[in-house]
Amino acid sequence: MTADVEALPRRRPVEAGGSDGLGRRQVHAVAACYFVASFAALGLPPYLTAILPTLGDAQARWAGVLYIVPTVFSALGAPLWGRLADRFGRKRLLLRAQLGLTVSFLLAGAADSLPAFTVALVLQGFLGGTFAATNGYLAAALGGPRLSRALTLMQGSARAALVAAPILVGALSPWIDPHRQYLVMAVLPLAAALLLSMLPEPKATRRADVATAGAPAAEAERSAPVSLRPLYAFEFTFVFATVISFPYLITLAQQRLPGVSGTTTGVLFALPHLCYLVFAARTHTVFHTRPHTGIALGFACVTVGLAGHAVAYSLPVFVAVRLLLGAGLTLGLVSLAVLAAGAAEGRQPGRMFGTLELVSKGGAVAAGAVAALANDRFGAAAPVVAGTAAALLAALAATALTVPSARQRWSRR
């Protein structure tokens, strides 16, 4: 019964195997390009406190603001680029995103003042947007489980970059100043653009027309697009609940574990992302037909994992709650990918994934703002308490959606 309730809309045969589909190697090539773009974008922001003094901000007071500038402008630009992708071609706009990162990194590396560096970060956010561009490209060529597996792989690329990039930037720092590493990192999205230029352009066919062409009225109704409201609500809340623990985790670990090494705190930070890399594929196999169960379990694990940070005063307990948070991160991200693949049926993918990026980045910005306010007023443990409350409410809502009557009410909205 549960599997039937949560089954995604099935792709019609004519859409599943069209000539515009992507092979496994091509999907892996797209994932590699997404990795290098994420690698460059995620590796350098943690070093803003070392970069800004060279630009006149001796105390790096603007580090917190500049950290989220690319995120804010990426969110603002994503819906526009998504609509343009649907109109002018997803491959063109994906290339535009990679080349936009190349230009912005060159400007950031060459900047010799704080205003110039800030402008470069604004352009990085507005001209980048590789999340929406990549997912829109994939959604135009794939569907159903193939699309959700590809979206899961893209998240794996981002998680791998989040773990590896800061380590490499730190290793290069004795030889190349982090500020000038922007110039080096510009090579990565440029190389990605060259690789992507060899991939095909997905056939520009309206998915709704394909899904319902020639179908009886009852079948067309069953193929109607699912509601986007639950997807957007879960995406925002999930990003908020998971990201809110990131900014002050190192501080919390140092307070709770006196004398802990920097390497250990780095591993604690990376553990949830490593869980995703190890278990995402298996999780997709188990939950691709029951995404609402997966998202409910994911929020539940995030709730318990975040709450556990409040009582983590030893290294084994800290490791346990980080692994539990990793389980929630894996379940949630994989299930969100399945829900997004189902929601893309019958819709222009560029616009949908552009809006989804706006929602996702909005959750990240809100998490950063709440974390900063909570930390200033109540201490380093306060952000995880706020995240726990948000995840608990979302877990209850997701659980309600596993009930058939509730699912039907949502689908009509």
Side-chain angles (χ1 to χ4, degrees), residues 48 52 57 60-73 118 121-122 365 372:
L48 284 175
L52 295 185
D57 183 9
R61 290 174 297 179
W62 288 96
V65 174
L66 293 182
Y67 192 94
I68 65 170
V69 161
T71 302
V72 171
F73 282 89
T118 302
L121 293 183
V122 170
V365 172

Side-chain angles (χ1 to χ4, degrees), residues 311-364:
V311 295
Y313 284 90
S314 67
L315 184 58
V317 176
F318 229 116
V319 169
V321 298
R322 295 300 290 171
L323 289 174
L324 190 55
L325 183 62
L329 187 76
T330 304
L331 284 163
L333 289 176
V334 170
S335 299
L336 285 169
V338 176
L339 291 174
E345 297 289 345
R347 289 188 171 90
Q348 294 285 9
R351 181 174 184 177
M352 194 206 85
F353 281 104
T355 304
L356 188 63
E357 180 168 15
L358 171 64
V359 171
S360 178
K361 294 295 192 294

Side-chain angles (χ1 to χ4, degrees), residues 188-377:
L188 297 179
L190 179 60
L194 293 175
L195 178 58
L196 290 167
S197 67
M198 295 183 284
L199 296 179
E201 172 69 61
K203 186 178 179 181
T205 303
R206 279 188 61 85
R207 299 164 70 88
D209 295 342
V210 174
T212 59
E219 187 174 352
E221 182 178 353
R222 287 196 300 270
S223 300
V226 298
S227 173
L228 290 175
R229 293 187 198 179
L231 173 64
Y232 291 159
F234 287 147
E235 179 76 22
F236 180 93
T237 309
F238 190 80
V239 171
F240 177 88
T242 52
V243 170
I244 198 170
S245 68
F246 293 172
Y248 301 100
L249 176 70
I250 302 300
T251 301
L252 181 64
Q254 290 172 344
Q255 291 177 356
R256 298 289 182 78
L257 307 172
V260 67
S261 68
T263 301
T264 301
T265 55
V267 171
L268 289 173
F269 182 89
L271 271 179
H273 310 295
L274 293 174
C275 285
Y276 183 92
L277 294 175
V278 174
F279 297 109
R282 186 181 296 274
T283 302
H284 182 276
T285 300
V286 175
F287 288 98
H288 78 272
T289 58
R290 46 183 67 84
H292 286 89
T293 298
I295 195 69
L297 289 173
F299 274 119
C301 289
V302 170
T303 300
V304 179
L306 288 177
H309 285 68
V311 295
Y313 284 90
S314 67
L315 184 58
V317 176
F318 229 116
V319 169
V321 298
R322 295 300 290 171
L323 289 174
L324 190 55
L325 183 62
L329 187 76
T330 304
L331 284 163
L333 289 176
V334 170
S335 299
L336 285 169
V338 176
L339 291 174
E345 297 289 345
R347 289 188 171 90
Q348 294 285 9
R351 181 174 184 177
M352 194 206 85
F353 281 104
T355 304
L356 188 63
E357 180 168 15
L358 171 64
V359 171
S360 178
K361 294 295 192 294
V365 172
V370 172
L373 292 173
N375 176 75
D376 288 343
R377 188 175 182 108

